[in-house]
Amino acid sequence: DGGITQSPKYLFRKEGQNVTLSCEQNLNHDAMYWYRQDPGQGLRLIYYSQIVNDFQKGDIAEGYSVSREKKESFPLTVTSAQKNPTAFYLCASSMSQEQFFGPGTRLTVL
Amino acid sequence: GQQLNQSPQSMFIQEGEDVSMNCTSSSIFNTWLWYKQDPGEGPVLLIALYKAGELTSNGRLTAQFGITRKDSFLNISASIPSDVGIYFCAGPDQGAQKLVFGQGTRLTINP
């Protein structure tokens, strides 16, 4: 089936550790996006990528890093520099204006 | 930058009632998208609008692209429990390949 997968669904890490969130799509979409969502809040853009080997910072990129080595994959690393990393992270992809979202990863930093 | 304002922020209704929500902006949008997010899940695209004045339905959902291109409306008829969730409007950011999202309307239904 075509779609966007994010794994794992729930992730726990100790404070001070870097953690990488996975996002894979088999929709052959060129663009991919990472969003952060805090409880009761909207979506905030972290990073996005229009093509392989290229990406741009979104509104809240500090403390995060990404790579886009393959069209299908856009992993997000939450570094120890991110002051408040506990949140729900959503990945999306698009071919045109409509974005399609994965199921999300809930990261809890203890 | 561009911003989208959704209202109301939250709604508490009885099952069977009709629902109306809207999304407004101070700038023009050429596309309006409506998403629904179930608790703990990713948003799902409900309806996409591409032309001013366009009225599009998806089952019990109907959305309209405002004539001024600065607003859009979403209506849900005869609400059912599975309509619970957060509804987001979105539109393409001018000059950038990304979307601007509203803050969402949270819908709660009392059975």
Side-chain angles (χ1 to χ4, degrees):
Chain A
D1 287 352
I4 304 170
T5 57
Q6 292 185 244
S7 60
K9 182 69 174 175
Y10 300 94
L11 191 55
F12 297 87
R13 280 294 182 270
K14 291 184 179 180
E15 191 174 350
Q17 291 181 336
N18 292 355
V19 58
T20 298
L21 281 59
S22 166
C23 179
E24 304 278 333
Q25 56 100 359
N26 60 6
L27 300 168
N28 200 33
H29 287 172
D30 288 322
M32 297 186 74
Y33 307 80
W34 274 106
Y35 293 89
R36 171 181 172 138
Q37 187 177 33
D38 292 290
Q41 302 298 312
L43 307 176
R44 291 189 290 170
L45 183 63
I46 305 172
Y47 268 99
Y48 63 107
S49 167
Q50 298 301 309
I51 55 173
V52 174
N53 292 322
D54 188 39
F55 47 83
Q56 289 78 40
K57 292 182 179 180
D59 301 317
I60 56 165
E62 185 176 349
Y64 299 98
S65 66
V66 294
S67 63
R68 186 86 187 278
E69 298 177 0
K70 298 187 300 181
K71 188 175 185 178
E72 310 80 47
S73 179
F74 191 39
L76 173 74
T77 296
V78 184
T79 74
S80 57
Q82 170 49 234
K83 296 179 182 177
N84 187 17
T86 293
F88 189 50
Y89 290 88
L90 287 159
C91 178
S93 70
S94 72
M95 183 60 82
S96 59
Q97 294 175 332
E98 298 90 346
Q99 291 183 15
F100 297 89
F101 286 83
T105 292
R106 186 167 300 281
L107 173 65
T108 302
V109 176
L110 306 170
Chain B
Q2 293 177 290
Q3 288 187 330
L4 293 177
N5 299 307
Q6 283 190 249
S7 66
Q9 289 187 339
S10 59
M11 302 182 73
F12 298 85
I13 64 169
Q14 297 293 124
E15 183 177 351
E17 288 185 13
D18 296 342
V19 172
S20 291
M21 61 187 77
N22 67 68
C23 188
T24 61
S25 174
S26 58
S27 52
I28 290 173
F29 280 81
N30 293 316
T31 299
W32 288 93
L33 306 172
W34 284 94
Y35 289 85
K36 183 200 175 194
Q37 183 179 28
D38 289 332
E41 300 295 329
V44 174
L45 182 63
L46 298 174
I47 293 177
L49 303 161
Y50 303 104
K51 195 166 63 172
E54 180 181 358
L55 188 70
T56 298
S57 293
N58 178 4
R60 293 178 295 104
L61 277 62
T62 301
Q64 184 164 21
F65 192 141
I67 291 292
T68 65
R69 294 162 64 191
K70 293 183 178 181
D71 55 13
S72 180
F73 307 89
L74 178 69
N75 297 315
I76 305 173
S77 62
S79 59
I80 59 177
S82 62
D83 291 333
V84 165
I86 305 175
Y87 292 80
F88 291 101
C89 63
D93 193 351
Q94 288 180 359
Q97 298 292 322
K98 56 182 180 173
L99 291 177
V100 177
F101 282 87
Q103 288 301 300
T105 293
R106 182 179 297 271
L107 179 63
T108 302
I109 298 175
N110 299 316

